[in-house]
Amino acid sequence: MPGKILLAQQGDAAAQAIYQVLRDEGYHILRAATLPEAERLLHQLPDLLLLDSDLADTHRAGIWSELAFQCQQDSISCLLYSSRVQNCPGSTNAPAWVADTINRPEDAQEVRFKVAAQLTIRRLTYEAALANRQLLEKQRQLEEYQRSAAEIQKTLLPTNLPDIPSLNVAWRFIPCEKVGGDLFNVVRLTEDTVLAYVLDVSGHGISSAMVTVSVYQSLSPHAGRIVRRPLDHPPYFRLLSPAEVLQQLEQEYPFERFGKFFTISYLLINIRTGQVRYSSAGHPPPLLIRGDGSYQPLSAGGSIIGTNCSGPFEEGEALLQPGDRLFLYSDGITEHSNHHDQQFGQEHLFRKLAANKKRALEPVCDNLIEALKSHGRDILFKDDVTLIGIEYLDAGDP
């Protein structure tokens, strides 16, 4: 679309020559013979003002400042020239609010070039401002999505852990700024069995949070379809083994449907006998710390959920003795890096937890988080940090 130009000039031959050049280029032209008239026409918001400096000789000097104010307020560029070529102000002498000067108004090529240049600058400036506004709006929406995802994630965190005399449970969760996909739970399934799991959905934001919600519902003992299998005879249900649960998750959450992978560690703990059955899908292995300070990663399992080639999953077993502890965690701990890109690491985590075997479980979790922060030297967490500690107290009546 041709630009709209306000031409403020005296009616002489030079003025007519400029007008003819602009008309030949197809511009929409507004004409003013006086500065007050130019000031009024500026309210029509032309794209460019071509101003004959000789008009200033016939009007009070203050009107220049009024023109300058209007041009700056409405982002209207100004090209200055003189009908009397010998009096044409150079670019170094032009007022600061003037974008450029036409040194030879009788030169049609210079007029065309400088007018086109100013209109191009105006168009690009407008497009840049528009793109910036759109970027700011997208940023605002993204921040809103992040807040929504954080609220979703917060609602899924356990509020009341099961009160079981034979188990002591503690947990720490620190969400990262980008909102990850970590989720964990400790649930009493039957009189004898406690379920514990930690999962980590790939990516960040609202899409990861929605997959987290879906998996949470699938693993719900009451609303889900995976943890229990109904039977037609007492006790009218069967608890699926950890390997069976992971296989079911692999079938229900293919990548091509959800666009996300996730890792998970899944454990069933018999609170009467201390037997632990477990399996993991691409997740950092749970850590078993014995009462004597020795430790063992529980590494049986398979690959990440969502690859369509993860099964069958291996399943492992362990037997807890009084004083033994299980720790489940996310890679937000082991992969937290310092300024030298040195990760906290799995072995560092194992040694740190084993060294605190004599301390109470809650302080052990606090101490681990402090060690993590100290390692990072105040670097913000780039992923969710999740830690669950489960201590087996005795094998008596729970």
Side-chain angles (χ1 to χ4, degrees), residues 371-392:
L372 196 63
K373 292 178 179 178
S374 177
H375 172 80
R377 300 292 181 92
D378 299 322
I379 291 180
L380 295 176
F381 293 115
K382 297 179 181 178
D383 201 357
D384 288 349
V385 168
T386 301
L387 175 68
I388 304 176
I390 302 173
E391 183 176 17
Y392 188 60

Side-chain angles (χ1 to χ4, degrees), residues 325-353:
R325 290 172 174 176
L326 282 169
F327 288 95
L328 291 81
Y329 55 95
S330 66
D331 59 12
I333 292 179
T334 55
E335 295 181 2
H336 184 52
S337 299
N338 58 22
H339 292 283
H340 302 291
D341 290 329
Q342 297 172 326
Q343 295 185 347
F344 190 78
Q346 195 173 75
E347 192 61 31
H348 187 187
L349 169 66
F350 291 175
R351 292 198 307 268
K352 190 72 177 176
L353 293 173

